[in-house]
Amino acid sequence: ALPILVTLTGGDDVGADVLEVDGDGNKVCQEIAREVKLLDALMPMVQMPLLAGMHLNKLSPEMMRVQALVYKAIAQIVNNNRRTEIYFATHNIPARDRYTGSETSISWINACIAQVGDIQESAVTISMILSNNQQLLDEYVDDATINKFIELIGDQGPRPHFMRFFIAICSCNGKQIITNQEIGRASCRERV
């Protein structure tokens, strides 16, 4: 029920599954969640299956729901809250190098991006964080990020959450991000 605490809900949300609740963030609750470091507790939860060597696409339905709920909470905590977006962007989490198996660290943003192919809510969360913040788009969206999404679309088809991510990284506050659009076009041409 945490996503409901940080979300301004309406009558249409009464009795709805928490994952279906929508609405703007409750700014006071978002600020409190950031200050008590709730994100610092939630991010290890989404990273834990990977650190335990589990494959996200093989998680049980119950574990997938836990992942989805945690991502929903994260999304609502950062939803249109610039200070919390920056807080999110400046933190790292332990990760395991998939080639060597050694421990390393990864930014929270890149940890979310790494899970978008398996956890739909990860794409929704990262789109929400990046979509209105030019600074974060410039810093975290590069050729590799765009190519990863194009590869996912090629492998899994044009799923709505992948397409929303592309919209989020190709425009910011109503202005086009030409460089990201060009990278996307070039990558698509290479795959064809």
Side-chain angles (χ1 to χ4, degrees):
L2 177 63
I4 292 176
L5 293 176
V6 293
T7 305
L8 299 173
T9 58
D12 64 330
D13 295 315
V14 174
D17 183 316
V18 173
L19 291 173
E20 302 301 320
V21 171
D22 59 0
D24 292 330
N26 179 324
K27 298 296 182 206
V28 172
C29 290
Q30 288 175 320
E31 298 292 324
I32 292 169
R34 184 187 66 245
E35 294 304 318
V36 300
K37 301 193 179 304
L38 185 56
L39 291 170
D40 298 66
L42 293 171
M43 278 307 295
M45 292 174 70
V46 297
Q47 195 67 6
M48 190 51 62
L50 297 174
L51 288 173
M54 302 168 81
H55 294 282
L56 293 175
N57 59 358
K58 296 189 187 321
L59 293 179
S60 70
E62 296 81 13
M63 285 298 295
M64 288 297 281
R65 180 157 174 84
V66 168
Q67 291 288 95
L69 288 168
V70 172
Y71 270 115
K72 177 72 172 188
I74 292 168
Q76 289 307 109
I77 291 169
V78 299
N79 185 11
N80 288 320
N81 187 306
R82 187 59 49 116
R83 286 186 65 200
T84 307
E85 290 171 353
I86 300 299
Y87 181 89
F88 190 91
T90 58
H91 283 76
N92 294 318
I93 189 163
R96 180 166 288 133
D97 184 291
R98 67 179 174 173
Y99 299 110
T100 66
S102 63
E103 291 284 324
T104 184
S105 69
I106 186 172
S107 73
W108 288 359
I109 287 180
N110 287 329
C112 291
I113 289 171
Q115 295 188 22
V116 297
D118 299 308
I119 311 286
Q120 176 178 336
E121 289 77 10
S122 177
V124 172
T125 300
I126 201 65
S127 296
M128 187 178 290
I129 292 167
L130 296 175
S131 67
N132 66 350
N133 194 320
Q134 180 74 42
Q135 176 187 350
L136 297 182
L137 279 171
D138 291 343
E139 190 169 339
Y140 290 97
V141 176
D142 58 10
D143 294 13
T145 304
I146 294 169
N147 288 330
K148 176 179 178 55
F149 275 87
I150 290 170
E151 183 178 311
L152 286 169
I153 290 169
D155 294 344
Q156 299 180 22
R159 295 185 176 184
H161 59 282
F162 295 155
M163 303 316 290
R164 281 192 299 275
F165 176 79
F166 267 119
I167 291 168
I169 64 168
C170 288
S171 66
C172 184
N173 296 323
K175 295 189 314 189
Q176 294 180 353
I177 310 293
I178 302 297
T179 54
N180 290 351
Q181 291 174 358
E182 289 301 320
I183 293 168
R185 279 190 206 106
S187 295
C188 285
R189 281 192 292 268
E190 288 175 14
R191 286 189 60 88
V192 175

